[in-house]
Structures are given as structure tokens and as C-alpha cells.
Amino acid sequence: MSAHDGRTGQTVWSSKLNRGYKNYYTVQPVGDLDNDKVTDFVQIHGGDPRPTPEEKNRPKGELVLLSGATGTRIRWKYVPDKHESYYSPQVISLGEGTKAILFGTGGETIPGALYLLRLRTFLLTGEIDKARKIYSTKDKGIMTPPVLADVNRDRVHDIVMATFNGSVIAFDGVTFKKIWQTDFKHGETYSTPAPGYYNDDDVPDFFVQYSIGIGYPIYFYARYAILDGRTGEIIIELPFSSVSVITSPLTVSFEGAGHDVFLYWKKDCYRHEGQIMKNQFSYSYHQSVASHTEFCRAQFNTTYVTKLLMIGQHIKPPGILLYHSHRYFHEENQYNLDSWRRDAQRYLLNSGADRDLYDEFNSFFSQVSKLSNHQFDSTGPDAVLGGAGGGTAGFGDYGNIPEYENSYPEYVSSM
């Protein structure tokens, strides 16, 4: 982890915490804690992506206060339950100048909780056990930071969280009691809800998305819905995609009630949009490798297609098509998989990565290549369809995409 001068890009300091192979996440400013006139930061150090889903012995997550001037640790403690953590911490106000740190623990297959700890308590005493447990799970962790927004109109930010166990929950920002909960059966998500004024009231609504399947890392399709911020009820559910999506949706805000729009990604099998995947693979492979297999190719002899859409109250579902990956296929896929492998190997060698990590990458890449049998064909994505037309005819012509031609022809004709 390092700090850089915003004007020159030069490194101000570099800091490395040496308690296991763990991730860094987005730091949050907490003001000047050590009286050196430089803003300091809170950080989570935790989470090791290498273990299999079945492995339960994971490195413990750490809550860390860092000097903004030097990157040195002002104070650190293991998280209260000693579980792993993949959570970017948040700083919230409790009123009267009191700040608190919001953080989560656990992973895809490791239970965890959402905690609240007063910043002053942690700074002065380091008593991590005084953290308040707002919510906990028995089988899956709290990995995705929630949205802080006022949903009960008391002028205090509440906590709206999309959990990895399929529930979207709103907690009161004063009492931390549950306001509402909406469940998505068999759903898991890495996405933070997007807040926006979709309907005509003065409470923000939320765009959420969930991957549906047998559980990490294998999913069959993705659901998209907009929830009423007052009640949590589903206002509208959008057409699902046949491939899971983990990118968080975004909000574009406009003046006036109900005028905000949401941007979201969909991923499908080309010419099989909206068909639920029945993922089949050999369980002799590591599941994380199997999850990288090209299931569209395996099931339909076709390729993935990615779309960026915009939806709002006054836009007919599934929304306005802003981007279609096949239109930019040649520009985005000039290099084959082998060239990507060589670039990654070069990076690992030049970055000083240890030999074990280098060998692990080569082993993983070989299995992915074997399962996917992936080749980028310079003639375009249509070539994998067994010759039906071949070449690139029709790519970039949105009128040839039936899903969008039938749903909002007025937008297709203007592209």
C-alpha cells in the first residue's frame, strides 16, 4: 500500500503489513489523530483469495489506523470475531462530532458480522471488543459496504446493506434496529446497492442485483430489481441475465423527484439472451477454475455478450442500450489469450513476486485454458457459431439484436 503525490505521481510513502498473505482495501480519512497536521486513515487488512471454498482456516482480518504522513500504524487490532475480512471500512457520524467506524467480517463461505466501533474508543484504548454487532450471519460473511442514506426521514443516515446471503436490509441509523428486509432466494452478491429517486416520493430507492445459483462461485443467472426505499418492496424487476454480474450499479442524478436513472451491466450468451444456464463441469477441477470456464461456449457454442443499460421511471425496461460488447469486439480483443498470459508473467517477474505465486499462476492459467479451449478469432465473435453467417456481419447493428428490437425500437432506430 502506498501514498502518491496527486500532482506529480511520486511516491510519498509505502507501507507493508507483514501478518500473512492478505488484501488491502479502500482507505477512509478519519481526521488528524496524531496531531501532525496531516489527515490519517482507517484501513482493513484481511482476506486471502487463495483458499478453496471448503477451507475454513483463514487469516484473521485487522482493523488499522494509519498515519497519513508516514503510513506507519497508529493502532491496530484483529477484528472482534477473528474472522477474515474483505470489507472497505466506512466512517459515519453519530452526532455531536462523534465518529464511528463501520466494518464487516467473513467471506463467501465464512460467517461474519457487521460492526460499529467508536473511533475515539479504538484510538485511545484499542478495545476492539467494544464494537457493537449490528448484524451477523451463520454461514456467509459481510463483504460489501452498505449505502448510507436516510430512508425513514429522521434526517439521519440509515444503513442499507445487500448481504451475501440473499437479503437486502435497512437498519435505523440511530437505534441500528431493522427497518425492512427483502430476500432474494438462493442469491449472493458482491454489489453495493445504488441509491436514487426512482419513484415520486422524497425517499431514495435502491437498484440491487443478485447472482442466483448453487453458491459461490457457481451461478446460473442474475436478477435485477429496484426497491422502494420506504418499505423495501420491489417496485420493478428487470429481465434477468443468463450470466452473473458482480459490478455495482451506478446512479445518475437529475433534478426533480423520480428523474434519477441507474446504470447497470448485463452479461448473456450471444443469441441466447435470457436463457438460464445449466452449468456443468467436472468437479475434479478446483471450483474457482470451473467458474472461469466459458459456459456459453460449452452449452450454446457461442460467446459472452456484455451490455451497459440505463433505466429510470420514464424508460421502458430493460432500459436504453449504451454499450454492446460485440460492437467493439475487434478493438477490445486485439490480443489472444497467450499474449495476456505473457503480459501477466512479465508483470509477476518484474514486480518481484515470489516463485510460488508465479508457479501458482501458471498452473491456474493452464487449467483455465484447458477447460475453456479459448481462442480469440480475428474474424469476430460470430465465427464460433459454426459458420452461420461467419465474419462480422451485423455487429454494431443494434437492430439485429432481437431482445432490444422488441423492447424499445424507438431507441434502436436512433443508434
Side-chain angles (χ1 to χ4, degrees), residues 17 77 91 97 113 121 125 147 159 187 220 275 278 329 335 359-360 383 390:
L17 305 179
K77 290 287 183 179
V91 179
T121 298
T125 68
V147 176
I159 300 169
F220 300 148
Q275 289 187 228
K278 296 295 183 183
F329 180 85
Y335 306 100
D359 292 341
E360 183 180 350

Side-chain angles (χ1 to χ4, degrees), residues 328-336 339-340 376:
Y328 300 98
F329 180 85
H330 293 296
E331 292 88 343
E332 296 174 351
N333 297 281
Q334 298 179 51
Y335 306 100
N336 61 28
S339 69
W340 288 355
F376 280 122

Side-chain angles (χ1 to χ4, degrees), residues 15-224:
S15 176
K16 185 176 182 180
L17 305 179
N18 295 313
R19 286 180 293 277
Y21 188 96
K22 294 184 281 193
N23 298 327
Y24 293 108
Y25 301 95
T26 305
V27 299
Q28 292 293 329
V30 291
D32 183 10
L33 304 179
D34 53 7
N35 299 314
D36 62 358
K37 299 182 180 180
V38 178
T39 298
D40 302 310
F41 300 91
V42 62
Q43 167 70 293
I44 283 285
H45 185 221
D48 183 349
R50 297 177 301 172
T52 66
E54 296 76 25
E55 292 181 62
K56 304 302 180 183
N57 185 21
R58 308 291 184 91
K60 294 174 283 192
E62 306 166 24
L63 185 66
V64 185
L65 293 178
L66 292 171
S67 166
T70 65
T72 56
R73 296 183 294 273
I74 298 173
R75 186 175 292 282
W76 76 273
K77 290 287 183 179
Y78 289 123
V79 294
D81 57 13
K82 306 298 190 295
H83 291 179
E84 62 181 347
S85 179
Y86 296 89
Y87 189 108
S88 296
Q90 294 164 285
V91 179
I92 65 174
S93 174
L94 301 181
E96 300 181 351
T98 301
K99 293 181 179 180
I101 305 168
L102 195 66
F103 62 98
T105 64
E108 288 91 346
T109 59
I110 303 295
L114 180 68
Y115 292 96
L116 182 77
L117 177 63
R118 290 175 181 263
L119 176 60
R120 182 175 176 82
T121 298
F122 187 48
L123 175 63
L124 295 180
T125 68
E127 293 178 285
I128 194 77
D129 292 336
K130 288 191 175 181
R132 176 172 181 170
K133 185 186 294 185
I134 297 176
Y135 176 79
S136 62
T137 63
K138 295 181 179 180
D139 55 352
K140 300 173 185 179
I142 306 299
M143 297 184 292
T144 305
V147 176
L148 305 178
D150 183 10
V151 298
N152 59 6
R153 301 169 68 182
D154 64 355
R155 299 184 180 181
V156 176
H157 283 163
D158 304 303
I159 300 169
V160 181
M161 177 175 65
T163 70
F164 200 71
N165 63 359
S167 298
V168 183
I169 309 173
F171 297 97
D172 187 284
V174 176
T175 66
F176 302 107
K177 293 182 179 180
K178 186 187 301 182
I179 299 174
W180 51 255
Q181 176 174 333
T182 301
D183 299 320
F184 292 82
K185 190 175 181 180
H186 303 306
E188 296 180 345
T189 187
Y190 294 93
S191 304
T192 295
Y197 293 97
Y198 179 83
N199 57 22
D200 294 327
D201 62 28
D202 59 353
V203 175
D205 307 303
F206 300 92
F207 187 108
V208 298
Q209 58 193 41
Y210 270 90
S211 298
I212 311 298
I214 62 177
Y216 168 80
I218 305 300
Y219 306 107
F220 300 148
Y221 63 99
R223 290 178 63 184
Y224 307 87

Side-chain angles (χ1 to χ4, degrees), residues 182-324:
T182 301
D183 299 320
F184 292 82
K185 190 175 181 180
H186 303 306
E188 296 180 345
T189 187
Y190 294 93
S191 304
T192 295
Y197 293 97
Y198 179 83
N199 57 22
D200 294 327
D201 62 28
D202 59 353
V203 175
D205 307 303
F206 300 92
F207 187 108
V208 298
Q209 58 193 41
Y210 270 90
S211 298
I212 311 298
I214 62 177
Y216 168 80
I218 305 300
Y219 306 107
F220 300 148
Y221 63 99
R223 290 178 63 184
Y224 307 87
I226 299 174
L227 308 184
D228 189 310
R230 296 173 304 160
T231 64
E233 295 178 355
I234 295 177
I235 299 175
I236 183 173
E237 183 151 3
L238 303 173
F240 62 80
S241 63
S242 55
V243 182
S244 65
V245 176
I246 64 174
T247 305
S248 295
L250 299 174
T251 306
V252 180
S253 182
F254 294 95
E255 292 185 5
H259 293 165
D260 290 353
V261 296
F262 300 109
L263 305 181
Y264 71 102
W265 291 94
K266 289 190 71 177
K267 191 175 183 180
D268 281 293
C269 296
Y270 181 58
R271 294 182 177 171
H272 293 270
E273 284 84 351
Q275 289 187 228
I276 295 178
M277 299 286 286
K278 296 295 183 183
N279 295 332
Q280 298 176 358
F281 54 88
S282 172
Y283 278 88
S284 63
Y285 290 101
H286 191 298
Q287 281 197 6
S288 62
V289 173
S291 69
H292 286 75
T293 304
E294 283 205 44
F295 291 111
C296 288
R297 184 184 180 95
Q299 283 198 246
F300 303 122
N301 193 32
T302 186
T303 59
Y304 292 125
V305 58
T306 304
K307 313 150 199 170
L308 177 64
L309 297 111
M310 179 174 69
I311 186 69
Q313 180 183 183
H314 307 294
I315 300 174
K316 185 179 178 180
I320 297 175
L321 183 64
L322 303 179
Y323 166 88
H324 194 289

